[in-house]
Amino acid sequence: MVTLYRPGSSLWHLLATGRKALVLAALVLAISLLPQAWGRPTATIPAALCLACYAVPGIGLRVLLGQLVAMRWILIVTAVGQLIFLGPGPALVNTTRIAALISIAALLALTTRTTDLLDAMERGLSPLSRLRIDPQRVALLLAVTLNTVPALTRAAGQVREAQRARSARPSLRRFAVPFLILALKHADELGEALTARGVR
Amino acid sequence: MNGIVLEDASVRLGEVEALRDVSLTLDARTTAVLGDNGSGKSTLARLVGGLLPASSGTVEVLGLDPRRQAAELRRRVAIVFSNPDAQIVMPTVAEDVAFSLRGDRLRRAERAERVTAALERFGLSDLADRSSHDLSGGQKQLLALCGAFVRSPELVIADEPTAYLDARNARHVADHLLAEGAHRLLLVTHDLALARRCESAVYVAEGRVAAVGASAEVIAAYEESLRW
Ligand SMILES: Nc1ncnc2c1ncn2[C@@H]1O[C@H](COP(=O)(O)OP(=O)(O)O)[C@@H](O)[C@H]1O
Ligand SMILES: [Mg+2]
């Protein structure tokens, strides 16, 4: 979940960001529109598309495997839920479809530098400027949000460690208050650093 | 041209008057800022860096008014903070450095060229594609410096840039900050050996300037105040 981008020179890496986003969005849309009533093809078509997307030279199925492992909890929860309410057939079909969907969407982050994503977003969002929304700010906000995850993960670790050092029993409240303070302090410092680096 | 000129500058932070009627003229290339915790050093650094307004008095930095000419000031003044984690904005090292140039409307090739040169200068070339969050503390602070210097600032403000570092990394960061170059330096530090390497120094106590002048003399005055 931390840094998704993997440097490389696969077909996906070489495709221009805007076009890549469109292609992947079209695939995701197509997969989510496959009718449930088709039965097995509703699972095999997405699975085949997903395999084809990852099988290009320079990415490979190992990376796909890594993605699936990373999203195992989402898949398990989905599978169990569907199993209980819909039975084994639909559960298998839907879980496969969701796994393919997320994996294909993840290709964008996996093969695009944040900088390029920012540039493409600024261009893609530029119609928003007519609504007095600054596309640069929206794109930057998204990038910074993504990058705050590792820092906050670390802060959470620090809080838990400090509590263990004082052998306090873990409790949500005892965790939440110091974590919130650290998070706010981080936001403050990051805001200043952004200003200092020329973000208005 | 004067570097930094303050006239009767005060800064109010909520209930606290963090700086009180400070008048200063700093012309040396490198100036250290000394003082106890809570004396107002960071407030002074922020005021000069245009991150805080003066509640009264006037401030001039490189001939600019930091509030009214903020955009121009941002282009010419860089700021480095203590906490390396809070200065990283982009997921990889090279992208983080490039982030500092986003506003400058450079051509892609020129941007890349400047980033490469800056990475080289700070010994980060081999880490260019590494995740910036996975660097060591020392490497992160070098990355923060790199992000500051890539814009070729005329003035670098550093607020305890070595506070979180071990002796070796602190030395490394200090060497880069104090290296001969076109930039002036305003360096807040508790490390008196580091302060000694600056030409001049300011000693801040309770929001006022207690001493200013050649670094050796100001450090002596500060050490004198520690005696009892
Ligand atoms: N955001 C703030 N709000 C209110 N008071 C503050 C704030 N930041 C700092 N102060 C107070 O201002 C004074 C000077 O702080 P600072 O400049 O950070 O000191 P130093 O950097 O020398 O340790 C201190 O008394 C501090 O408690
Ligand atoms: Mg301080």
Side-chain angles (χ1 to χ4, degrees):
Chain A
M1 173 79 190
V2 180
T3 305
L4 293 161
Y5 176 70
R6 297 169 60 99
S9 55
S10 74
L11 188 66
W12 293 113
H13 285 91
L14 299 179
L15 206 56
T17 309
R19 239 169 272 168
K20 174 161 51 182
L22 281 180
V23 170
L24 293 174
L27 284 174
V28 165
L29 192 68
I31 290 176
S32 38
L33 291 179
L34 283 177
Q36 187 85 51
W38 285 10
R40 200 171 295 163
T42 307
T44 48
I45 293 173
L49 282 174
C50 177
L51 286 173
C53 285
Y54 276 81
V56 302
I59 299 191
L61 298 180
R62 279 183 79 111
V63 177
L64 176 57
L65 200 66
Q67 293 290 313
L68 293 174
V69 170
M71 62 176 107
R72 63 188 177 279
W73 293 114
I74 301 178
L75 297 182
I76 290 171
V77 169
T78 316
V80 170
Q82 307 253 333
L83 204 59
I84 294 171
F85 292 108
L86 300 174
L92 185 67
V93 167
N94 281 328
T95 310
T96 310
R97 173 145 81 154
I98 286 170
L101 219 127
I102 299 179
S103 304
I104 289 176
L107 269 176
L108 183 64
L110 214 51
T111 63
T112 317
R113 285 178 186 281
T114 308
T115 309
D116 296 336
L117 218 48
L118 266 180
D119 288 340
M121 263 198 287
E122 276 174 21
R123 261 178 277 126
L125 296 175
S126 59
L128 286 183
S129 56
R130 258 183 255 146
L131 303 174
R132 300 219 175 163
I133 296 170
D134 180 355
Q136 261 185 22
R137 292 193 82 81
V138 178
L140 183 69
L141 182 70
L142 289 172
V144 169
T145 307
L146 278 178
N147 265 289
T148 306
V149 174
L152 291 185
T153 310
R154 187 175 325 225
Q158 281 170 6
V159 171
R160 251 178 277 139
E161 236 166 52
Q163 289 179 337
R164 233 176 279 139
R166 285 178 293 164
S167 70
R169 248 188 305 121
S171 87
L172 185 61
R173 192 167 53 89
R174 252 184 244 146
F175 172 79
V177 173
F179 176 73
L180 206 64
I181 291 170
L182 272 185
L184 289 175
K185 183 163 169 279
H186 179 80
D188 245 13
E189 291 179 344
L190 190 66
E192 260 191 344
L194 283 172
T195 309
R197 291 179 71 176
V199 175
R200 283 175 303 274
Chain B
M1 185 185 65
N2 284 332
I4 299 165
V5 184
L6 275 66
E7 269 171 45
D8 292 325
S10 299
V11 174
R12 219 184 162 79
L13 298 170
E15 297 295 293
V16 185
E17 185 138 63
L19 284 182
R20 288 175 230 181
D21 301 322
V22 171
S23 295
L24 264 182
T25 302
L26 300 175
D27 277 328
R29 197 179 78 80
T30 54
T31 304
V33 181
L34 307 171
D36 299 342
N37 287 330
S39 57
K41 303 181 298 298
S42 295
T43 306
L44 177 62
R46 288 193 170 90
L47 177 67
V48 172
L51 297 176
L52 279 178
S55 40
S56 64
T58 60
V59 182
E60 196 186 292
V61 178
L62 304 175
L64 303 169
D65 176 336
R67 297 308 280 192
R68 285 180 37 212
Q69 293 164 292
E72 176 80 14
L73 189 87
R74 287 279 79 82
R75 258 194 294 286
R76 295 166 59 184
V77 178
I79 313 178
V80 181
F81 302 90
S82 312
N83 185 356
D85 281 317
Q87 300 174 77
I88 293 175
V89 189
M90 288 285 140
T92 66
V93 171
E95 285 180 284
D96 193 71
V97 176
F99 179 83
S100 294
L101 300 175
R102 271 195 88 71
D104 291 357
R105 311 225 169 279
L106 298 174
R107 280 179 305 109
R108 240 179 146 67
E110 192 181 346
R111 214 203 274 183
E113 212 168 274
R114 283 178 64 175
V115 170
T116 309
L119 287 171
E120 178 87 45
R121 174 169 171 199
F122 288 88
L124 295 170
S125 301
D126 291 342
L127 303 175
D129 279 326
R130 282 271 290 280
S131 158
S132 32
H133 292 282
D134 294 340
L135 301 181
S136 73
Q139 289 168 335
K140 278 183 193 167
Q141 195 63 328
L142 282 176
L143 174 56
L145 285 193
C146 195
F149 276 92
V150 71
R151 310 184 69 183
S152 312
E154 288 166 51
L155 169 66
V156 175
I157 300 170
D159 189 356
E160 298 189 44
T162 59
Y164 289 27
L165 306 181
D166 62 39
R168 186 178 309 278
N169 280 305
R171 181 61 171 271
H172 214 60
V173 163
D175 286 347
H176 276 294
L177 284 170
L178 287 161
E180 283 301 317
H183 67 279
R184 296 161 181 267
L185 175 69
L186 186 70
L187 173 64
V188 178
T189 184
H190 288 293
D191 180 346
L192 295 184
L194 181 51
R196 226 175 284 279
R197 293 173 68 189
C198 294
E199 289 164 30
S200 69
V202 184
Y203 164 22
V204 183
E206 290 173 18
R208 295 177 195 277
V209 172
V212 56
S215 59
E217 287 155 32
V218 174
I219 292 168
Y222 182 52
E223 281 181 322
E224 188 63 33
S225 77
L226 301 175
R227 222 169 264 275
W228 46 277

